[in-house]
Amino acid sequence: MPPQHESAADDEKLWAELGLDIDFHRRVVEAISGNFARQVESRPLRPAGMGYFDGLIHAAHGRRVREIMARKAAGAKFVGTFCIYVPEEVLLALDAAYLALCGGTAVTIPHAEKTFPRNMCPLVKSTLGLAFSNTCPYASLEDLAVGETTCDAKKKTWDILGREGGFHVLEVPQKKSPAGRKLWLEEVRAFAAALEDTTGNRLDAGRLAEAVRLMNRKRRALARLHELRRAERPPISGTDALVVMQAALIDEPARFTEALERLNEELAERLTRGISPFSDGAPRIMISGCPAVLGNWKVHHLVESAGAVVVVDETCTGTRYFSGEVAETDDGLEARLEAIADRYLGVDCSCFTPNAERITNVLRLARESRAGGVVQYVLHACHTYNIEAINVAAALKEAGIASLKIETDYSDEDAGQLGVRLEAFLESLEFRNGR
Amino acid sequence: MPPQHESAADDEKLWAELGLDIDFHRRVVEAISGNFARQVESRPLRPAGMGYFDGLIHAAHGRRVREIMARKAAGAKFVGTFCIYVPEEVLLALDAAYLALCGGTAVTIPHAEKTFPRNMCPLVKSTLGLAFSNTCPYASLEDLAVGETTCDAKKKTWDILGREGGFHVLEVPQKKSPAGRKLWLEEVRAFAAALEDTTGNRLDAGRLAEAVRLMNRKRRALARLHELRRAERPPISGTDALVVMQAALIDEPARFTEALERLNEELAERLTRGISPFSDGAPRIMISGCPAVLGNWKVHHLVESAGAVVVVDETCTGTRYFSGEVAETDDGLEARLEAIADRYLGVDCSCFTPNAERITNVLRLARESRAGGVVQYVLHACHTYNIEAINVAAALKEAGIASLKIETDYSDEDAGQLGVRLEAFLESLEFRNGR
């Protein structure tokens, strides 16, 4: 059962119970819902199966919070995460309730900028702003927060947030060397140990194997969605696919996977019947780079409003999240932890130097999805994706694929200008293709 | 013997020989020399011993280049570095010629911004600009460049510069855990191995011990200078002390140390005679945060022009460079490498999470130097020092020490505004002190 949409009155009661700033929280929820209605729900020919995922977006500050509270009442601990580098299998095997607490709304950012630098990633500032403005419904429920070291902005933010404890930081190595792999394996072990402490549960080889199977099934369902989008006329918009990915980061994995498998069936059926929200020959775009988390549909909306179709997301809310399965081994707990560590170390985040692996993947994904052009999506002040964009653009150019880099934040201020740039880019693609 | 100042004609001949862009290079050198004359050489009551260090600044694009060429002609290899995390002992023991290639001039930045993001560290952009505008006299001499992973901007820059080889990247861990220490030790070993390849020399325990002794002596001389600045009326300006530190990063260690020991004697003598460039009761300022490399005297100049004295630099061109000696052990090569690795891992760079060590050091240094206020110096878009400034400011406030954060680049555009802010800050200090 997906979490049901409840009445506004019920939600307000919940927010009061959690001690949130009710008035400002209402503004946050209205801003997210308003963008969602305008940028996502208004899209034509949406699959029926999107109902589940839309419901999750709406439930994020209501019913989903109550679910976590119910899990806590039944004895589970709640863990907040901020990155797809946090091994979910370990969280699942230790029966922790968890979800990604990354902020995708501009509304809370001024609250972060009172103490944090303005010249910083909007995702981090939005997340901080939710906490600082007392509008994150999950904050008071958190038994542990798990940060990582994938970028300077997040890494140093954990220093500030971690001052009062309740924070575990996973060190992601910066080179994929044998020494880096050893470090990462020790970090995964330390994470498991910290989580054992928090939950009071002991990691068990059987439960871990089960978690690995579930997460692999979830990854296969996401990969299947990704494949379905490769069709000549994709049966789903990139904006809707993004909503699915955003839901993946906040939903219970088993329930999510079943809903996605149903959606995939509907999409396969649509394919055979030739149903697509896009006209023939719509320019095919790959979005590459930074994540777009719940609340943030800006660039997908701009690209698809301009008549193009986003056929693949080479991002943390895209292929980086689901690519590569954890090897399913019978060799006991230690071997399973190693297999988990290896899968996550395979993620081609721009935090690595060098990162030739990502360049290879970008080219492969663009070709597999027959993308006519690539939009490199860089969140403002994200040095790693911003600088890596140079190598990515060069490799794409050499492969004959056009690309456009967009550095933007969560505000609407640059939407007009971005729209103009995107339209010019799409026109140039059509010109190249002789259309 | 310090490198002598040569005629402009000789220098131009050298630049032609190196294939530099003569006209633009002349502009670069004039810009640096102009700032140096205006911001440093014009200061009152400079110690005579500064002549050596002034000479080095002037020689950086002339005679010092010829020295490196002479070393190369005699068989040595030349290594460019960009961070005080690169273990100099290993470079010395393998008889490599080396110096820090960090750019401190604004003039070359537009050349970097043609391909790199504008919203990035001026030090990195200035360095890149020197290379891209063909005005770095050392570029064509380089047998190896050594980067590290202390920040996102540098880490990802190495990906681009390293595409054509000749680049070794040292991974600095992000947490000071036992696993991080193991990784760092392996990185130091790998660096030594890479350098053995480049130089064709073999690392030898005796040579390494000698290098450790020399570097420790250099560190003690710098620490002595640092102590002399603690006097009630410091015998040297903070701007001059910065010049000494900048020279430390580009000079031969033995020669540099001797010159500094002579300067220290002069300063001790000045102390007994009561000679100081500062009036009684000048506000005492600690500068804390980012490095100010050759070409960049901006903030020191502003602070000291406003009548204050910079009594301590808690920066990479300050205490971070010379604090902590390498343990001198007789237990052979491996133990010596470990001792070296441990000393460098002790550096409290803002790349670490958490970094409580730095907070402790900031407080200790401010107290030891009786700083009345702290200027947190953050290079534009340096996320790690910018965010860590929050914890630093909070700790200082708790200790009753006022602080002001300045985020700036190499341009003169904000100098007026910064001057006003600094003057207001200094006035507030005098008010606090009831003067």
Side-chain angles (χ1 to χ4, degrees):
Chain A
M1 266 296 288
Q4 297 299 304
H5 210 148
E6 297 225 341
S7 75
D10 283 346
D11 280 353
E12 300 244 337
K13 212 175 117 194
L14 170 70
W15 303 340
E17 208 175 302
L18 292 166
L20 299 187
D21 177 334
I22 304 284
D23 288 336
F24 190 62
H25 188 266
R26 195 181 301 123
R27 274 188 54 201
V28 171
V29 170
E30 281 170 4
I32 296 174
S33 304
N35 278 344
F36 191 57
R38 190 168 55 84
Q39 300 180 329
V40 183
E41 291 174 315
S42 67
R43 290 202 57 80
L45 278 176
R46 301 184 72 214
M50 282 306 296
Y52 175 86
F53 304 98
D54 290 359
L56 253 166
I57 303 296
H58 286 293
H61 286 243
R63 177 65 76 101
R64 186 76 184 105
V65 183
R66 280 191 210 96
E67 289 183 344
I68 300 291
M69 291 167 79
R71 294 262 330 253
K72 279 184 67 102
K77 299 295 178 181
F78 173 63
V79 178
T81 66
F82 306 93
C83 182
I84 60 167
Y85 237 100
V86 179
E88 286 183 59
E89 288 82 355
V90 177
L91 287 154
L92 282 170
L94 285 167
D95 200 30
Y98 67 94
L99 51 84
L101 293 182
C102 299
T105 177
V107 185
T108 60
I109 287 180
H111 286 266
E113 291 176 345
K114 284 181 197 166
T115 42
F116 275 69
R118 292 195 63 184
N119 188 19
M120 216 175 90
C121 166
L123 188 153
V124 176
K125 285 192 293 184
S126 176
T127 307
L128 287 171
L130 281 156
F132 296 169
S133 65
N134 195 21
T135 54
C136 174
Y138 299 98
S140 65
L141 306 177
E142 244 176 345
D143 295 293
L144 187 73
V146 183
E148 23 52 53
T149 62
T150 49
C151 71
D152 287 346
K154 286 204 281 177
K155 175 170 70 179
K156 295 310 291 181
T157 294
W158 312 146
D159 290 6
I160 318 285
L161 300 188
R163 278 186 302 202
E164 282 154 35
F167 225 99
H168 183 86
V169 177
L170 266 165
E171 179 172 2
V172 178
Q174 306 182 76
K175 282 168 44 178
K176 290 187 178 177
S177 60
R181 182 177 176 272
K182 260 187 266 172
L183 175 105
W184 174 237
L185 183 56
E186 293 211 25
E187 286 293 300
V188 171
R189 285 193 196 112
F191 169 60
L195 213 59
E196 286 183 333
D197 278 356
T198 300
T199 58
N201 300 329
R202 290 285 297 168
L203 202 59
D204 164 275
R207 292 286 312 269
L208 195 57
E210 208 180 294
V212 165
R213 281 192 298 272
L214 173 56
M215 283 302 300
N216 280 346
R217 185 176 151 202
K218 182 178 172 184
R219 292 185 183 111
R220 281 192 295 272
L222 286 162
R224 172 85 179 116
L225 172 64
H226 165 72
E227 283 157 20
L228 286 159
R229 293 167 68 193
R230 289 193 196 140
E232 190 56 35
R233 288 182 64 223
I236 184 170
S237 70
T239 308
D240 277 344
L242 176 63
V243 169
V244 172
M245 275 301 313
Q246 291 170 340
L249 302 183
I250 60 164
D251 198 10
E252 297 292 331
R255 184 173 71 181
F256 170 87
T257 304
E258 283 163 24
L260 178 52
E261 286 166 349
R262 284 193 300 274
L263 175 69
N264 284 339
E265 281 166 35
E266 181 189 352
L267 297 180
E269 169 72 16
R270 276 185 158 215
L271 264 189
T272 60
R273 291 170 51 208
I275 301 175
S276 166
F278 299 97
S279 54
D280 272 344
R284 301 170 70 84
I285 295 297
M286 167 156 115
I287 290 186
S288 175
C290 291
V293 298
L294 199 159
N296 175 17
W297 303 282
K298 182 174 171 176
V299 170
H300 286 71
H301 169 68
L302 284 170
V303 170
E304 298 201 323
S305 298
V309 46
V310 176
V311 288
V312 49
D313 294 82
E314 190 275 323
T315 68
C316 316
T317 40
T319 50
R320 250 185 288 291
Y321 179 67
F322 61 78
S323 293
E325 295 185 15
V326 174
E328 295 181 17
T329 165
D330 285 331
D331 292 344
L333 193 60
E334 185 53 29
R336 280 169 196 175
L337 276 176
E338 271 198 55
I340 289 168
D342 282 339
R343 184 267 155 198
Y344 284 85
L345 196 58
V347 174
D348 58 357
C349 174
S350 58
C351 65
F352 293 103
T353 180
N355 201 15
E357 209 173 328
R358 177 162 173 240
I359 308 294
T360 306
N361 288 337
V362 163
L363 294 176
R364 179 179 52 74
L365 289 166
R367 282 181 185 131
E368 283 174 356
S369 294
R370 301 185 310 288
V374 175
V375 171
Q376 291 208 62
Y377 175 50
V378 178
L379 287 173
H380 174 74
C382 174
H383 294 330
T384 62
Y385 281 103
N386 207 353
I387 300 172
E388 187 149 290
I390 300 169
N391 272 346
V392 170
L396 286 168
K397 191 177 175 185
E398 205 182 302
I401 302 169
S403 72
L404 173 73
K405 188 182 88 177
I406 281 179
E407 185 183 352
T408 187
D409 58 15
Y410 290 174
S411 77
D412 284 329
E413 281 168 36
D414 61 351
Q417 192 210 356
L418 284 183
V420 171
R421 286 183 63 203
L422 281 167
E423 276 171 35
F425 179 61
L426 296 177
E427 271 172 36
S428 76
L429 295 182
E430 294 188 348
F431 183 78
R432 278 164 77 110
N433 296 340
R435 280 182 181 134
Chain B
M1 264 297 288
Q4 296 301 303
H5 211 147
E6 298 225 343
S7 75
D10 283 346
D11 280 353
E12 300 244 337
K13 212 176 118 193
L14 171 70
W15 304 339
E17 209 176 301
L18 292 166
L20 299 187
D21 178 333
I22 304 285
D23 289 335
F24 190 62
H25 188 266
R26 194 182 302 124
R27 276 188 52 202
V28 171
V29 170
E30 282 170 3
I32 296 174
S33 305
N35 279 342
F36 191 57
R38 189 168 54 85
Q39 301 180 330
V40 183
E41 291 174 313
S42 67
R43 290 201 57 78
L45 278 176
R46 302 185 71 216
M50 283 305 297
Y52 176 86
F53 304 98
D54 290 0
L56 252 166
I57 304 295
H58 286 294
H61 286 243
R63 176 66 77 99
R64 186 77 185 103
V65 183
R66 280 189 210 98
E67 288 182 345
I68 299 290
M69 291 168 78
R71 295 258 335 249
K72 279 184 67 103
K77 300 294 179 180
F78 173 63
V79 178
T81 66
F82 306 94
C83 182
I84 61 165
Y85 237 101
V86 179
E88 286 183 58
E89 289 81 355
V90 177
L91 287 153
L92 283 170
L94 286 166
D95 200 31
Y98 67 94
L99 51 84
L101 293 182
C102 299
T105 177
V107 185
T108 59
I109 287 180
H111 286 266
E113 291 176 345
K114 284 181 196 165
T115 42
F116 275 69
R118 292 195 63 185
N119 188 20
M120 215 173 91
C121 167
L123 188 155
V124 176
K125 284 192 293 186
S126 176
T127 308
L128 287 170
L130 282 156
F132 296 170
S133 65
N134 195 21
T135 54
C136 175
Y138 300 96
S140 66
L141 307 177
E142 244 176 344
D143 294 295
L144 187 72
V146 183
E148 26 50 54
T149 61
T150 49
C151 72
D152 286 348
K154 287 204 282 178
K155 174 170 72 178
K156 296 309 291 182
T157 294
W158 312 146
D159 291 6
I160 317 288
L161 300 188
R163 278 187 301 204
E164 281 154 36
F167 224 98
H168 183 85
V169 178
L170 265 165
E171 178 171 3
V172 178
Q174 306 181 78
K175 282 168 42 180
K176 290 187 177 177
S177 61
R181 182 178 177 272
K182 261 188 266 172
L183 176 104
W184 174 238
L185 183 56
E186 293 211 25
E187 286 292 300
V188 171
R189 286 194 195 112
F191 169 60
L195 212 60
E196 286 184 332
D197 278 356
T198 300
T199 58
N201 300 330
R202 291 283 298 167
L203 202 59
D204 165 273
R207 293 287 313 268
L208 195 56
E210 207 178 295
V212 165
R213 280 192 299 272
L214 173 56
M215 283 303 299
N216 280 347
R217 186 177 151 200
K218 181 178 173 185
R219 291 183 185 113
R220 280 192 295 271
L222 287 161
R224 173 86 179 117
L225 172 64
H226 164 72
E227 283 156 20
L228 287 159
R229 294 168 67 194
R230 289 194 196 140
E232 191 56 37
R233 288 182 64 223
I236 183 170
S237 70
T239 308
D240 277 345
L242 176 63
V243 169
V244 173
M245 275 300 315
Q246 291 170 340
L249 302 182
I250 61 164
D251 198 9
E252 298 292 331
R255 185 174 69 182
F256 169 87
T257 303
E258 283 162 25
L260 177 53
E261 286 165 348
R262 283 193 300 274
L263 175 68
N264 285 339
E265 282 166 37
E266 181 189 352
L267 298 180
E269 169 73 15
R270 278 186 157 214
L271 263 188
T272 60
R273 294 171 50 208
I275 302 175
S276 166
F278 299 98
S279 54
D280 271 345
R284 301 170 69 84
I285 295 295
M286 167 157 116
I287 290 187
S288 174
C290 292
V293 298
L294 200 159
N296 175 18
W297 304 281
K298 182 174 172 177
V299 170
H300 286 71
H301 169 69
L302 285 169
V303 170
E304 299 201 323
S305 299
V309 47
V310 177
V311 288
V312 49
D313 294 82
E314 190 276 323
T315 67
C316 316
T317 40
T319 51
R320 250 186 287 294
Y321 179 67
F322 61 78
S323 293
E325 295 186 16
V326 174
E328 296 182 16
T329 165
D330 285 330
D331 292 345
L333 193 60
E334 184 53 30
R336 280 167 196 178
L337 276 176
E338 272 197 54
I340 290 168
D342 282 339
R343 185 266 155 198
Y344 284 85
L345 196 58
V347 174
D348 58 357
C349 173
S350 59
C351 66
F352 293 102
T353 181
N355 201 15
E357 210 172 327
R358 179 164 171 239
I359 308 294
T360 306
N361 289 336
V362 163
L363 294 177
R364 180 180 51 75
L365 290 166
R367 282 181 186 133
E368 284 174 355
S369 294
R370 301 185 310 286
V374 175
V375 171
Q376 291 209 62
Y377 175 50
V378 177
L379 288 172
H380 175 75
C382 174
H383 294 330
T384 62
Y385 281 103
N386 207 353
I387 299 173
E388 188 149 290
I390 300 169
N391 272 346
V392 170
L396 286 168
K397 190 177 175 185
E398 206 182 300
I401 303 168
S403 72
L404 172 74
K405 189 182 89 177
I406 282 179
E407 186 183 351
T408 186
D409 58 16
Y410 289 173
S411 77
D412 285 328
E413 282 168 37
D414 61 351
Q417 192 210 355
L418 285 182
V420 171
R421 286 182 63 204
L422 281 167
E423 277 170 35
F425 179 62
L426 297 177
E427 272 172 36
S428 76
L429 296 182
E430 294 188 350
F431 183 76
R432 278 165 77 111
N433 297 338
R435 281 183 181 132

